[in-house]
């Protein structure tokens, strides 16, 4: 039977669905935003209103105090949410992998659940939990404050979690941590399962205790996956958008304390109708993410070199 | 010939016009269709309803690319400044619309809001939000505070707040920012906007409105009279239900929201009155516009007229959906004279009508939303960090001006 497609043509036809989708939804937006960076454009005035302004958007963005505030916030929250993700996920994964036996999958599923939960549900849940006067977090704190030793430590008044500039960043970081911990746990459990068992057996025969096995076998063997996980966290953390957006009602919170760069970029485009500036901010963010990723790469490489 | 006739009717049947709207305007349009379609039996009306923010984002994109534009576009007041200057909307004063002949039929300030200096009458108002002060009558009674104490002046307003706090523990207002928002809208010179003068220059530093607004807001915060609660948050809903916030200043439409879902349990406890110093100002409002690239402009205009200039439709929208009519004639119905049971039998609608007639037109500007944002952030610094007011206004002015001069 004659093939419907000529063999020479077949690969191109078969790859075309992906290629088309990539061109339309991947490459085009990137190129368009690059072009936009050098233009002043108010979208409601139509495409014809695009006006070439050279580097003006970029200089405006660099001199915009809000860009720097938002970058500061982003770094703060990326660090505060990202570090604990790995510091907790690794021991937790070890625990799940070594000690949970047949409950392992159930435990992994439970930790992974927040990752696949709808953002809207998360928004409703956390804004209820962190409600100042009627939230469970403050109710629990108030109850704990009655205990003799904790009275001095805990605040006497309800904490305005979502409304005070001091509290909003920790709250957002906590939610991000909660949401992505499970993803990292799965990553590490999978990596741990690929570590050859005979390494542990040999160690045990040499009299290594459980914690020694963790520190001297598991941790070093996890390094490649740690690099992968940390890189994802760095990128994700710097692109932080959803969680602060929903927890601050899309505005960035009091004194902009919860506004990330990605949020500011979105607001510049869709709330302030300044797509040129928004594109400039997005490319700035891209450069910073690139730099941070390179630094992460270097950090892991040099350690590997030492080892 | 028969063939031609049937072909014609097929063609006629195929006309579909699209209306893009957000809640509950989409419901209002749907409810108004039956009567309009009696006169236009061959026209199908597709109402595309999206959430408030999604709708405006979709309209921004549609205007940007000139594709997917509806025949009738609904615009909320908050987006009007941006959309009015787009140049993508029909000037309804021009032929064939000639809206100017009906201009006196509409509430003047709302008509002025729909006008752009460079593009003419780009939108026609359908519902308006005359500002009102809703207060808990039971809380006032407990604290022995009179309604007139709230409305007389900002000083007496704050004094009443102290009495209320002492007697009941309730906060006077949800957030000090709410008070700032009213004071900055007091006494705006004609031809100016809230944040910009006629030339589009920021007036934040020079206008006494802002200084006074910040001072009143600061007083309220220092005395502990606000609950630091943002409107539309969970806390806000609870506070309104439980009576821990005494006064809520907003558009008259808040009455309907309180009754229907915010605090239905408080029926009979609320009253409505004028804002402090009897300021007449407005909160939001809905407009219809016809994009220049719309396909069926004639039919779109016919439907818009039906929705805005037809007294019965306007009254229906008010009765069923709390959309306060922008058509003056529609403000005379029986419904206006009826007591509102949720407000303890008060004839509040008459008062709102009076407020609506007193509101002065203010100009809207493209950068209004950025300016509002920047002013709010500076106010946060004043309230939370005791930043000196003059410095805050200076900084706000500089930041706004930086944007506006782009």
């Amino acid at each position: 039977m004659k093939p419907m497609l000529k063999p020479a043509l077949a690969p191109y036809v078969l790859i075309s669905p992906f290629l088309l989708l990539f061109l339309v939804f991947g490459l085009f937006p990137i190129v368009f935003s690059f072009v936009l960076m050098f233009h002043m454009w108010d979208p409601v005035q139509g495409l014809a209103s695009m006006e070439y302004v050279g580097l003006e958007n970029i200089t405006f963005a660099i001199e915009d105090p809000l860009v720097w505030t938002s970058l500061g916030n982003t770094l703060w929250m990326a660090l505060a949410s990202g570090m604990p993700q790995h510091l907790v996920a690794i021991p937790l994964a070890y625990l799940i992998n070594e000690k949970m036996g047949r409950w392992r999958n159930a435990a992994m599923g439970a930790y992974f659940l927040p990752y696949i939960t709808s953002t809207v549900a998360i928004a409703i849940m956390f804004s209820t939990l962190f409600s100042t006067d009627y939230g469970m977090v403050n109710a629990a704190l108030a109850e704990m404050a009655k205990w003799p030793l904790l009275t001095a430590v805990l605040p006497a008044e309800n904490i305005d979690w979502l409304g005070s500039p001091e509290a909003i960043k920790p709250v957002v970081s906590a939610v991000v941590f909660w949401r992505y911990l499970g993803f990292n746990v799965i990553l590490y459990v999978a990596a741990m399962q690929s570590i050859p068992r005979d390494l542990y057996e040999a160690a045990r025969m040499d009299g290594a205790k459980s914690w020694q096995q963790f520190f001297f076998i598991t941790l070093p063997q996890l390094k490649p996956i740690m690099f992968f996980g940390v890189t994802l966290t760095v990128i994700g953390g710097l692109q932080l958008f959803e969680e602060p957006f929903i927890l601050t009602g899309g505005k960035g919170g009091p004194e902009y304390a919860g506004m990330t760069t990605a949020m500011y970029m979105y607001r510049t485009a869709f709330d302030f109708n300044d797509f040129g500036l928004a594109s400039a901010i997005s490319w700035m963010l891209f450069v910073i993410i690139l730099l941070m990723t390179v630094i992460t790469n270097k950090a892991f490489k040099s350690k590997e070199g030492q080892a | 010939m028969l063939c031609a006739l049937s072909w014609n009717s097929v063609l006629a049947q195929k006309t579909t016009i699209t209306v893009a709207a957000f809640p509950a305007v989409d419901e209002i349009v749907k409810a108004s269709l039956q009567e309009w379609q009696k006169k236009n039996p061959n026209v199908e009306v597709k109402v595309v309803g999206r959430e408030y923010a999604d709708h405006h984002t979709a309209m921004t994109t549609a205007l940007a690319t000139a594709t997917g534009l509806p025949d009738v576009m609904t615009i909320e007041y908050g987006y009007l400044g941006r959309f009015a200057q787009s140049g993508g909307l029909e000037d309804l004063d021009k032929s064939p619309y000639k809206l100017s002949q009906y201009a006196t039929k509409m509430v003047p300030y709302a008509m002025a809001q729909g006008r752009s200096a460079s593009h003419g009458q780009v939108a026609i108002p359908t519902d308006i939000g005359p500002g009102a002060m809703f207060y808990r009558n039971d809380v006032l009674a407990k604290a022995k505070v009179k309604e007139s104490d709230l409305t007389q002046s900002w000083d007496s307003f704050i004094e009443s707040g102290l009495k209320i706090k002492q007697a009941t523990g309730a906060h006077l207002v949800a957030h000090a920012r709410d008070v700032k928002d009213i004071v900055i809208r007091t006494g705006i010179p004609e031809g100016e906007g809230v944040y910009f003068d006629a030339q589009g220059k920021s007036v934040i530093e020079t206008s006494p409105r802002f200084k006074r607004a910040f001072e009143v807001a600061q007083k309220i915060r220092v005395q502990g009279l606000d609950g630091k609660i943002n409107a539309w948050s969970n806390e806000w809903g609870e506070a309104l239900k439980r009576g821990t916030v005494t006064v809520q200043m907003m558009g008259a439409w808040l009455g309907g929201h309180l009754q229907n879902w915010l605090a239905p349990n408080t029926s009979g406890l609320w009253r409505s009155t004028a804002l402090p110093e009897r300021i007449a100002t407005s909160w939001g409002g809905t407009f219809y516009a016809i994009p220049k690239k719309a396909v069926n402009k004639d039919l779109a205009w016919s439907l818009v007229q039906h929705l805005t200039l037809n007294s019965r439709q306007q009254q229906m929208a008010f009765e069923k959906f709390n959309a306060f009519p922008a058509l003056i004639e529609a403000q005379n119905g029986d419904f206006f004279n009826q007591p509102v049971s949720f407000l303890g039998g008060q004839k509040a609608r008459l008062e709102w009508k009076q407020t609506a007639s007193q509101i002065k037109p203010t100009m809207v500007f493209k950068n209004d939303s950025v300016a509002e944002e920047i002013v709010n952030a500076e106010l946060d610094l004043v309230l939370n960090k005791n930043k000196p007011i003059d410095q805050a206004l200076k900084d706000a002015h500089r930041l706004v001006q930086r944007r506006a001069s782009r």
Side-chain angles (χ1 to χ4, degrees):
Chain A
M1 203 175 88
K2 238 178 107 181
M4 281 172 71
L5 282 171
K6 280 184 189 158
L9 214 64
Y12 299 101
V13 172
L14 292 175
I15 206 171
S16 63
F18 161 76
L19 211 62
L20 276 174
L21 288 175
F22 172 73
L23 284 176
V24 174
F25 296 108
L27 194 65
F28 172 72
I30 294 174
V31 173
F32 188 56
S33 91
F34 189 79
V35 173
L36 263 183
M37 177 162 59
F38 304 104
H39 288 78
M40 195 80 91
W41 185 44
D42 180 352
V44 295
Q45 300 190 17
L47 278 171
S49 70
M50 272 171 75
E51 182 196 342
Y52 180 77
V53 291
L55 297 176
E56 197 191 310
N57 286 323
I58 299 160
T59 47
F60 190 93
I62 290 171
E63 287 166 13
D64 188 354
L66 280 179
V67 166
W68 295 103
T69 310
S70 72
L71 267 176
N73 293 339
T74 310
L75 288 176
W76 199 108
M77 290 189 272
L79 206 69
S81 67
M83 287 264 284
Q85 272 179 47
H86 294 273
L87 292 180
V88 174
I90 295 171
L92 193 63
Y94 184 69
L95 217 68
I96 289 174
N97 194 38
E98 299 293 323
K99 314 280 175 200
M100 295 289 262
R102 62 199 178 98
W103 295 105
R104 191 170 64 195
N105 286 344
M108 269 161 52
Y111 279 105
F112 195 63
L113 204 59
Y115 185 75
I116 50 167
T117 302
S118 118
T119 323
V120 179
I122 292 174
I124 295 171
M125 186 176 80
F126 277 95
S127 52
T128 312
L129 279 177
F130 284 107
S131 162
T132 315
D133 296 321
Y134 316 104
M136 273 174 64
V137 175
N138 274 343
L141 285 179
E143 199 51 47
M144 276 156 69
K146 289 178 191 159
W147 301 349
L149 282 174
L150 290 172
T151 316
V153 193
L154 291 172
E157 277 191 4
N158 281 340
I159 299 174
D160 188 2
W161 291 108
L162 301 171
S164 76
E166 290 77 20
I168 187 78
K169 281 196 208 76
V171 169
V172 172
S173 307
V175 174
V176 175
F177 165 74
W178 170 84
R179 205 171 172 201
Y180 294 97
L181 176 70
F183 175 77
N184 288 301
V185 167
I186 300 248
L187 217 60
Y188 287 122
V189 169
M192 282 170 191
Q193 283 172 356
S194 68
I195 300 175
R197 299 306 296 177
D198 41 5
L199 286 179
Y200 291 97
E201 275 164 31
R204 267 200 296 274
M205 287 181 62
D206 289 340
K209 294 191 180 70
S210 196
W211 66 268
Q212 284 169 320
Q213 291 172 34
F214 174 74
F215 277 103
F216 297 110
I217 300 172
T218 313
L219 267 191
Q221 291 286 325
L222 281 183
K223 211 167 257 175
I225 206 75
M226 267 160 77
F227 170 56
F228 176 66
V230 169
T231 308
L232 282 189
T233 306
V234 167
I235 296 173
L238 292 174
Q239 289 182 335
L240 201 58
F241 178 81
E242 270 188 355
E243 291 82 4
F245 190 83
I246 52 179
L247 286 169
T248 62
K251 298 256 179 187
E255 298 169 29
Y256 296 119
M259 189 164 72
T260 61
T261 312
M263 251 179 97
Y264 183 53
M265 179 186 86
Y266 171 85
R267 302 208 60 205
T268 304
F270 289 98
D271 287 352
F272 310 147
N273 278 18
D274 195 337
F275 274 60
L277 181 58
S279 295
I281 297 171
S282 80
W283 282 94
M284 249 174 99
L285 187 62
F286 167 72
V287 170
I288 290 167
I289 291 175
L290 190 71
L291 271 176
M292 298 299 267
T293 316
V294 169
I295 292 172
T296 316
N297 194 357
K298 284 257 153 54
F300 274 88
K301 275 246 169 81
S302 67
K303 271 183 194 161
E304 262 171 22
Q306 280 165 18
Chain B
M1 193 182 138
L2 263 177
C3 188
L5 266 180
S6 64
W7 178 241
N8 264 343
S9 69
V10 167
L11 268 185
Q13 271 167 10
K14 276 200 170 165
T15 316
T16 304
I17 66 168
T18 321
V19 181
F22 51 87
V25 188
D26 49 355
E27 294 297 322
I28 293 175
V29 176
K30 280 179 198 161
S32 312
L33 281 181
Q34 207 184 6
E35 200 179 312
W36 185 75
Q37 277 176 322
K38 271 184 207 157
K39 282 181 272 169
N40 302 276
N42 295 326
V43 184
E44 202 181 309
V45 180
K46 196 173 142 204
V47 181
V48 184
R50 293 186 189 89
E51 281 306 313
Y52 175 76
D54 293 344
H55 165 78
H56 290 100
T57 305
M59 293 305 106
T60 304
T61 323
L63 283 167
T65 54
T67 48
L69 281 162
D71 295 295
V72 177
M73 184 187 286
T74 315
I75 306 172
E76 211 276 334
Y77 174 68
Y79 286 84
L80 196 59
R82 283 168 264 176
F83 284 31
Q85 292 178 15
S86 72
L89 304 172
E90 286 281 310
D91 180 355
L92 300 177
D93 272 346
K94 290 201 177 133
S95 190
Y97 315 104
K98 294 184 182 152
L99 175 58
S100 46
Q101 60 184 320
Y102 308 114
T104 49
K105 289 178 166 236
M106 312 299 281
V107 172
Y109 87 86
M111 276 301 270
Q113 284 175 338
R115 205 171 295 136
S116 143
S118 39
H119 301 288
Q121 189 75 43
V122 292
I124 176 169
T126 178
D127 65 62
I128 57 173
M133 173 157 61
F134 290 88
Y135 66 88
R136 283 287 292 253
N137 195 36
D138 53 328
V139 178
L140 252 65
K142 251 188 236 163
K144 298 197 174 71
V145 169
K146 295 195 299 284
E147 182 187 289
S148 57
D149 297 336
L150 291 177
T151 53
Q152 199 185 1
S153 68
W154 285 110
D155 286 337
S156 73
F157 181 77
I158 292 173
E159 255 171 59
S160 313
L162 287 170
K163 280 188 205 163
I164 290 167
K165 200 185 170 194
Q166 255 175 4
T168 68
H171 293 295
L172 177 61
V173 291
H175 204 288
R177 193 192 306 126
D178 304 349
V179 174
K180 178 267 303 176
D181 281 332
I182 297 161
V183 184
I184 59 171
R185 285 172 174 79
T186 312
I188 301 172
E190 212 165 318
E192 268 190 22
V194 178
Y195 305 95
F196 300 99
D197 65 13
Q199 284 76 44
K201 201 169 169 290
S202 151
V203 294
I204 295 167
E205 198 186 351
T206 48
S207 164
R209 290 181 282 128
F210 286 88
K211 192 170 163 114
R212 183 154 174 249
F214 273 48
E215 283 168 356
V216 176
Q218 194 179 35
K219 257 189 214 163
I220 286 191
R221 172 59 58 86
V222 170
Q223 312 263 27
L225 298 181
D226 75 325
K228 301 182 191 169
I229 300 168
N230 291 320
W232 311 107
S233 64
N234 290 343
E235 260 75 23
W236 190 63
E238 277 304 315
L240 295 176
K241 272 191 197 108
R242 298 181 192 210
T244 50
V245 161
T246 317
V247 164
Q248 184 62 53
M249 296 174 268
M250 224 175 231
W253 39 259
L254 178 68
H257 288 300
L258 283 171
Q259 183 177 354
N260 296 338
W261 61 279
L262 273 171
N265 62 320
T266 57
S267 180
L269 300 178
W270 291 91
R271 298 289 182 276
S272 162
T273 185
L275 295 168
E277 299 188 343
R278 307 201 76 82
I279 298 156
T281 185
S282 74
W283 258 267
T286 310
F287 296 77
Y288 292 118
I290 301 174
K292 278 188 179 154
K293 300 244 166 79
V295 187
N296 300 298
K297 289 182 207 167
D298 291 347
L299 287 169
W301 177 235
S302 160
L303 179 61
V304 168
Q305 279 180 294
H306 174 71
L307 291 165
T308 53
L309 294 163
N310 180 324
S311 196
R312 256 194 331 279
Q313 292 310 318
Q314 285 266 301
Q315 281 170 350
M316 180 280 295
F318 188 37
E319 288 171 29
K320 283 197 184 156
F321 301 98
N322 286 302
F324 200 95
L327 182 70
I328 297 170
E329 189 187 303
Q331 296 175 355
N332 292 322
D334 219 19
F335 193 61
F336 275 80
N337 298 316
Q338 285 170 16
V340 182
S341 64
F342 185 79
L343 299 173
Q346 200 186 357
K347 290 186 177 176
R349 292 168 194 134
L350 291 172
E351 192 162 338
W352 300 334
K353 175 183 161 183
Q354 203 196 344
T355 306
S357 69
Q358 291 165 349
I359 299 171
K360 299 246 161 41
T362 44
M363 297 282 285
V364 286
F365 290 86
K366 195 183 121 195
N367 282 310
D368 275 348
S369 58
V370 186
E372 183 187 350
E373 183 81 24
I374 290 169
V375 167
N376 280 341
E378 288 297 328
L379 181 69
D380 279 345
L381 288 171
V382 170
L383 298 178
N384 299 333
K385 302 271 153 63
N386 288 321
K387 182 170 179 176
I389 290 176
D390 286 334
Q391 187 60 45
L393 292 176
K394 206 173 160 185
D395 290 349
H397 169 79
R398 187 173 45 82
L399 286 170
V400 169
Q401 199 51 43
R402 208 172 154 257
R403 284 272 184 171
S405 57
R406 255 163 77 77

